[in-house]
């Protein structure tokens, strides 16, 4: 089980992307609407080119090593945490989804990823290894070492993560008291051969 993914809802995707690029991340893809069609746009296309095509951007996906970051456009001024994600194999996924069902948690199935509603303003994503395959070199370059999330009920969130993920994986995610209506990333520790800014995400 690999902790690999953070999804943020941000007011200014362009600015947030620039900060990630300055920290050594690379754009993996951008997604948006061309007319009514939702499309994936390759990373070599510039913002100016997308604008000229009339693209309404929805989100940007960036990656460095074994860390995957998604920035989605939001109407709120603050940076909100939307998802945290783990790569899990089939047996791990089945066990987690069974425990989620016992808790009567909502699960959205997207074929290669499963989103579990936590009730704390963000989702837990389970990703199939076929979608995000990170070799030893990627994991050595950069990986998520641990985060702290501010949410409405940190004790309930900690208990939920311990139940769903087990003691080892759940120790990578800590919780503290935050706002009632959304979750925020309070701190983030990164590990690997290459440093990024001050060892955290530049959000």
């Amino acid at each position: 089980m690999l902790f690999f993914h953070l999804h943020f809802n941000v007011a200014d995707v362009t600015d947030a992307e620039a900060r990630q690029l300055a920290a050594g991340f690379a754009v993996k893809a951008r997604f948006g609407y061309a007319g009514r069609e939702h499309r994936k746009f390759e990373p070599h296309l510039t913002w100016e080119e997308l604008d000229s095509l009339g693209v309404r951007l929805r989100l940007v996906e960036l990656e460095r090593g074994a860390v995957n970051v998604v920035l989605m456009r939001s109407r709120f001024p603050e940076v909100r945490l939307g998802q945290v994600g783990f790569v899990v194999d089939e047996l791990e996924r089945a066990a987690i989804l069974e425990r989620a069902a016992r808790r009567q948690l909502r699960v959205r199935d997207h074929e290669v990823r499963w989103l579990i509603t936590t009730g704390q303003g963000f989702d837990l994503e389970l990703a199939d290894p076929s979608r995000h395959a990170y070799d030893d070199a990627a994991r050595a370059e950069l990986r998520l070492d641990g985060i702290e999330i501010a949410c409405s009920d940190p004790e309930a969130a900690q208990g939920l993560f311990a139940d769903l993920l087990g003691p080892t994986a759940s120790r990578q995610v800590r919780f503290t008291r935050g706002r009632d209506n959304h979750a925020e990333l309070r701190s983030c520790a990164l590990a690997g051969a290459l440093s990024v800014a001050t060892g955290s995400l530049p959000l």
Side-chain angles (χ1 to χ4, degrees):
M1 192 179 300
L2 174 69
F3 183 27
F4 82 106
H5 172 67
L6 295 170
H7 174 122
F8 299 99
N9 301 316
V10 300
D12 190 336
V13 175
T14 310
D15 182 62
E17 178 191 292
R19 290 198 297 273
Q20 294 299 129
L21 294 176
F25 282 75
V27 174
K28 186 174 181 181
R30 296 186 181 97
F31 297 84
Y33 292 91
R36 294 187 177 182
E37 181 186 5
H38 187 261
R39 289 177 49 191
K40 175 181 177 180
F41 298 92
E42 297 304 319
H44 68 270
L45 290 172
T46 66
W47 284 90
E48 291 75 15
E49 289 171 321
L50 292 173
D51 285 341
S52 70
L53 294 171
V55 174
R56 291 175 289 120
L57 194 74
R58 179 170 168 263
L59 64 85
V60 175
E61 182 179 8
L62 302 103
E63 211 160 57
R64 183 177 183 185
V67 179
N68 177 273
V69 174
V70 165
L71 306 170
M72 178 177 280
R73 195 178 302 281
S74 168
R75 69 180 186 275
F76 300 104
E78 69 277 358
V79 177
R80 298 188 173 196
L81 182 66
Q83 298 165 15
V84 300
F86 289 78
V87 175
V88 295
D89 63 29
E90 187 175 354
L91 290 177
E92 291 169 331
R93 182 178 72 247
I96 294 169
L97 292 178
E98 182 179 343
R99 292 191 285 270
R102 286 203 300 266
R103 282 179 167 261
Q104 298 184 319
L105 299 174
R106 182 187 177 205
V107 178
R108 304 191 302 282
D109 183 346
H110 296 277
E111 296 185 357
V112 292
R113 66 188 186 110
W114 293 257
L115 298 176
I116 301 173
T117 301
T118 66
Q120 297 293 330
F122 71 98
D123 293 332
L124 170 62
E125 176 178 326
L126 308 177
D128 190 88
S130 65
R131 186 168 187 260
H132 295 279
Y134 299 109
D135 58 19
D136 290 341
R139 296 180 187 221
E141 178 187 349
L142 193 70
R143 61 190 180 276
L144 287 166
D145 201 38
I147 65 170
E148 184 176 71
I149 298 172
C151 64
S152 61
D153 190 339
E155 289 186 7
Q158 201 74 65
L160 175 65
F161 268 60
D163 181 28
L164 293 181
L165 300 178
T168 301
S170 65
R171 276 197 293 268
Q172 293 180 283
V173 185
R174 302 181 310 278
F175 296 91
T176 190
R177 184 73 174 89
R179 299 176 182 270
D180 290 335
N181 61 344
H182 68 270
E184 297 176 327
L185 182 69
R186 190 59 56 84
S187 66
C188 174
L190 301 170
L194 301 177
S195 63
V196 175
T198 58
S200 187
L201 291 173
L203 292 167

